[in-house]
Every structure is written in C-alpha cells, then in structure tokens.
Amino acid sequence: MPEVLKAPLTVEFPFTRSLGPVQSAFLTGLRERVVLGVRTRDGRTLVPPVEYDPVTAEEIRDLVQVAATGTVTTWAWNHAPRRGQPLGAPFAWALIRLDGADTALLHAVDAPGPDAVHTGMRVRVRWAEERTGAITDIACFEPYDGDDPAEPAGHSGEFSNFENFEDPVTGIVAPARLDYTYSPGRAQSAYISALSEHRNVGERCPTCRKVYVPPRGACPTCGVATLEQVEVGPRGTVTTFCIVNIKAAHTANLDIDVPYVYAHIALDGADLALHGRIGGIPYDQVRMGLRVEPVWTEGARFPDHYRPTGEADADYDTYRELL
C-alpha cells in the first residue's frame, strides 16, 4: 500500500465587487466614523444595512445613524488569531447590537482574556487610524463603561448627510484566502508517486472496465471501488484544446509566451482525458487528433508539456467517445 500523501495548499484571489447605494453609504460612513443602518417599513433598524428587507423582501434605503456603542449578545474566544484577522493577540469574536439597532454586527472585541467577556457586556468602536471605506475601518470593539467623555457614544436618528460625503465608496476589493492541508487519498497518492517515476498509472473499473487517469478510487459511472492499477501512455491524442491569449497570474513567473495551447489529452489505454500544455509546435498548428508525448524537466513531478510525436493524426473514431 503506497503512502498517502499530504501537502499544504493555499487558494487565494482578490474578490472585486461593486456596491449598491446602501452598502456604499455604509462603508463611506465608516470612513467618516459614522455607523449607518437602514430602517424597514415596520421600524426595525438593520446593521449592517441591506438593500432588501429580509422578512418582506421590500427594497429599503432609509438610512439611519446608530451609536458607536453597543452590547455583546453572544461571543466566542479566539485563542490563536490567524493571518488577516483584526487583532494579532487572542480576542473575542462577538455579535454586537449597536445602540439604536435591532440586529447584531459581527466583529472583534479586544479584551485581556475570556474571563473579561460576557453576554451583555458594553463595548464601543475603536476606529482605525487610517480609514479607507471598509469594514476594517472599525479596528475592533473595546470594553466601555460610559464614563469617557473623550469618545462620544454617538446617537441614533435619521441620517440625511450622506450626499455631503466626498468621494463615496463605490467598490471594494476583498482578499479571499483559504489555507488547508490536502490529502489526495489512496488512488491519487499512487498516481502522484508513479509520476515521480515518469509513469502514468490509472485504475480500472471492475464493472465497465474503463480506465480512469487520474484515478479517483471509484468509478464515476458505476459507483464501485477501483483497485486494479493500469499503466497507460506515455503517448496520447489531443481530443480538444484551447488557445490561451492572456498570461494568467499562475503562469506569470513561468517561461511561457502567449499565445499557447492547453489541451485535453487521451493517453493511450485511458478512458478519460487529462489536460496539459502543448509545446514544440506553433499554436495555430495544434489540432484534434494530434499525437503527442510528454516532455519532462529535471526534478519535475509532472510533465512540463506535451510535444508532437511525428506520428500520423489519430482517426476521429478512436477518440470521439473521450470528447
């Protein structure tokens, strides 16, 4: 039984979105140290504000200013903050109902320890020194006893000065990142281990007899476990392909000139096409049926690209079921 592999994996990308009038007002207000909610027809004040009443689905745009102070309604202690979280030291995640609001806002509470946090605790906003029009303009919340006149508690009421804000926030770029440990499992661990020896190993379904590369541990058609290993390739046939005209972020540091071609390649003996880059041929000469073979670079676990073998093109009937 081959060793099951594990590796750290990070998925990261910037998420860019435009803002409607309500979210634009909310984030612009935070930049100006003003917390805005939105009032529903039945008098509820929602913070953070939304554009549609979650109960009636009515459009709502009646902006209301609420206080920068509030009450913790529930909380959980974060013993080990992660990268990008509001505070570097342990803190509490809390739902905080600001004075004048009927719903709770999720944010961080800076407290010396879990014993210092409780439901019903009074807190106030600690504003970020530099504010850009984002939820991070609230650096965190901190305990508040109401006795510090240097930091006004704020007030609630109608708000009509949003139009006077200069340069309203109309869009945000939010970084999205997920760090986790990935284990490919028994079947794909065997596949990856074989690739380190420049071999392609798939698994055959005991029912339909199809060979899947990369193997999945079970037949996607029959739903039964696959255990019989089958070595395929190394040569194969281009079934479909696309021409890439824009250099993507993940290829920015690679020695790949655009345009280039990515293709689905049916390795000899496999019943599932895998994808790979086609090289050694002008991009406009790549075609369906082209016979290719892998090109390995020193120390690489996967083929760098596939190049033409010089054989005659495969007949369409030999790969049409793999399109």
Side-chain angles (χ1 to χ4, degrees), residues 46-95:
L46 312 181
V47 180
V50 292
E51 295 185 3
Y52 296 92
D53 188 323
V55 176
T56 66
E58 288 182 288
E59 185 175 9
I60 44 178
R61 295 194 181 185
D62 184 11
L63 296 173
V64 178
Q65 183 176 356
V66 299
T69 54
T71 302
V72 171
T73 62
T74 188
W75 61 279
W77 188 253
N78 183 1
H79 293 273
R82 297 188 176 187
R83 185 188 71 87
Q85 291 188 336
L87 298 172
F91 64 92
W93 285 115
L95 286 173

